[in-house]
Amino acid sequence: MRTLLAAAALAAAMPLAAHAADYTQLQTARSKVGFSFTQMGVTLDGHFERFDGELRFDPAAPESARAVVEVELASIRTGMPDADAEVAGRSWFNIGEFPRARFESSSVKALGGERFEVSGLYRFGDFYHATGQLISPWSWRADGSQVGRDMLAYRSPDFTTWSKAKARSFIRPGQAANPPVKGQQMHMGAGLWNRGNVIVGLHGMWQDAAQPPPKGASWNLGVRIDLGLLVSNDGVHFREPVPGHAVIPRGRDGEWDDIAILQGHAFVNEGDRTLIWYSHWDTGGRLKDMHIGLATLRRDGFGHLSRQVSEEEAHFITSTFEASAIALNVDGITAGAPLTLQLLDHLDRPLEGMTASLDQNGVRVPVTWPRPLPAGKKTALRVHYPANSAARVYAVYVTRGVGS
């Protein structure tokens, strides 16, 4: 339990002006002495309820700043009464002999630069990519206002030299709106699954609390997070197939995962199922539980394409690919309403004699063509639904070369 006070931070409420200002008494009602600690691999927040101090700060000359803060150690609040009692003893604070702690600054520096929190690392195409959230400073909108948490990406050709330029990988629609949706952000980048020619993943759909937390409570008390789906075809820019849709919502009130859930890089296909691991975060800092959740889907069943308008035919066309074999993940096909598949060239023109019919369901149903697929040529697939079809296509699989 020696990681309890791994990091400490002081947040003091004070007006920022272009001239020096003296503060003979810290505004404790508008300030907070908080810290973070790690318990079973999860970072949690705590605070001290009683403290006072003095500050002197000039934003134009931060090197002249001075801070003195005294903290009443018995007022520690970790969110766990047993931990509060433990740290008061001789092995930690020993508050019987040392009831107060004094912090006095020796120097203050403007650090500058950026603080980037990496959440994804993968190779896609010719580059390695690192995605995550920029935690200082935030990103900006065109008008200069801050967007809060979004996902950015850096890239490297050799995993050694990384570009200093970055790309905005994803921002939730409400963050970019004018005016923005209050309290909407994305959390911790995304947990990603590289599928070869496409990347799928989950991102945290952060929503601020409706009301500010009461004095002494965790700063993010009331924050709620669901998990949304992201897709990328270039490894840099991501999109939500259905904006704002929670593919894994947090639990109902009273369930173990009812506050905020966190994505991981933990996906696997096992048989006819896709398994996704995720965890729970108590944003109130009370360490409600440490469970891991397991979500199960139909294999690669993140979404599907199907007809919508009654008594109307429908079709979709894929992007181009090179393949020696094609298979579909599909259900809902009936004997009287098979799917018709047609191979197209790179300009969406049908290739003569390359039409097939699919009348079976399954997570990987191979397509039987009249002759071998053209080698070394870019082609696309057109999938046609008859007017009475209830078919749902979840994925199209292409095999590149023999044995691949």
Side-chain angles (χ1 to χ4, degrees):
M1 198 174 173
R2 291 294 176 183
T3 57
L4 181 61
L5 296 179
L10 168 66
M14 54 187 173
L16 296 180
H19 54 81
D22 288 317
Y23 301 91
T24 58
Q25 188 71 30
L26 191 70
Q27 300 178 42
T28 57
R30 300 175 58 197
S31 304
K32 180 179 180 180
V33 176
F35 57 88
S36 297
F37 63 98
T38 301
Q39 178 77 1
M40 298 178 65
V42 176
T43 300
L44 303 169
D45 297 323
H47 66 279
F48 292 91
E49 290 188 335
R50 295 183 291 278
F51 56 91
D52 53 40
E54 297 178 1
L55 294 172
R56 180 181 175 85
F57 180 71
D58 181 357
E63 66 278 358
S64 66
R66 181 176 181 269
V68 178
V69 177
E70 291 196 0
V71 177
E72 186 176 328
L73 297 179
S75 70
I76 188 172
R77 297 295 181 266
T78 64
M80 296 175 288
D82 290 346
D84 295 345
E86 171 70 19
V87 298
R90 296 180 61 86
S91 297
W92 290 89
F93 290 158
N94 191 12
I95 64 173
E97 295 186 35
F98 307 101
R100 293 175 70 84
R102 177 183 173 90
F103 301 87
E104 183 169 354
S105 65
S106 58
S107 65
V108 177
K109 295 181 180 179
L111 295 178
E114 296 180 341
R115 308 292 181 269
F116 184 66
E117 196 167 13
V118 177
S119 61
L121 190 61
Y122 52 90
R123 184 176 179 89
F124 195 84
D126 295 329
F127 288 90
Y128 295 94
H129 298 84
T131 58
Q133 67 181 18
L134 192 67
I135 57 177
S136 177
W138 297 123
S139 299
W140 297 275
R141 300 182 184 87
D143 63 2
S145 60
Q146 295 183 346
V147 302
R149 296 166 177 82
D150 59 351
M151 187 166 78
L152 306 175
Y154 291 85
R155 70 181 187 179
S156 168
D158 54 12
F159 206 69
T160 300
T161 304
W162 289 85
S163 169
K164 294 185 181 301
K166 57 185 176 290
R168 173 172 281 166
S169 288
F170 178 72
I171 181 172
R172 296 184 66 194
Q175 292 178 264
N178 187 16
V181 176
K182 186 177 180 180
Q184 187 178 106
Q185 303 180 67
M186 77 165 299
H187 184 239
M188 288 300 298
L192 301 175
W193 193 14
N194 190 342
R195 303 302 303 276
N197 69 334
V198 65
I199 296 178
V200 297
L202 302 177
H203 72 99
M205 303 169 65
W206 174 296
Q207 183 61 50
D208 283 352
Q211 301 293 333
K215 186 179 185 299
S218 173
W219 68 270
N220 50 13
L221 176 67
V223 169
R224 296 294 184 261
I225 303 176
D226 300 304
L227 297 183
L229 179 65
L230 291 181
V231 178
S232 175
N233 295 104
D234 64 5
V236 176
H237 303 99
F238 289 77
R239 65 189 183 277
E240 287 182 294
V242 182
H245 173 66
V247 68
I248 302 181
R250 65 185 186 277
R252 294 184 292 269
D253 288 348
E255 295 183 334
W256 71 272
D257 56 352
D258 62 348
I259 298 178
I261 54 178
L262 306 179
Q263 67 275 23
H265 301 267
F267 306 82
V268 67
N269 278 335
E270 178 65 27
D272 62 356
R273 296 288 177 184
T274 291
L275 309 180
I276 307 169
W277 284 262
Y278 65 95
S279 63
H280 182 251
W281 176 31
D282 182 354
T283 57
R286 297 186 300 273
L287 194 63
K288 176 182 175 182
D289 53 59
M290 295 297 298
H291 298 315
I292 299 296
L294 178 63
T296 61
L297 307 174
R298 176 190 176 91
R299 187 183 181 100
D300 292 330
F302 292 98
H304 65 261
L305 295 176
S306 61
R307 282 188 328 111
Q308 176 64 28
V309 180
S310 176
E311 305 304 323
E312 292 285 344
E313 299 180 355
H315 75 273
F316 69 85
I317 298 175
T318 69
S319 58
T320 57
F321 54 83
E322 293 183 24
S324 59
I326 299 173
L328 265 63
N329 184 337
V330 60
D331 71 4
I333 294 178
T334 60
L339 297 180
T340 301
L341 282 62
Q342 193 170 37
L343 204 63
L344 312 176
D345 68 10
H346 66 290
L347 296 177
D348 286 351
R349 296 174 300 200
L351 295 181
E352 185 177 355
M354 294 301 289
T355 300
S357 181
L358 198 68
D359 59 4
Q360 298 180 49
N361 296 302
V363 294
R364 196 179 184 102
V365 182
V367 180
T368 302
W369 298 97
R371 60 175 184 267
L373 300 181
K377 290 186 178 181
K378 291 286 188 181
T379 56
L381 180 68
R382 181 180 187 268
V383 178
H384 175 264
Y385 301 75
N388 59 342
S389 175
R392 296 175 292 271
V393 177
Y394 296 88
V396 176
Y397 305 106
V398 297
T399 300
R400 298 183 180 91
V402 177
S404 64

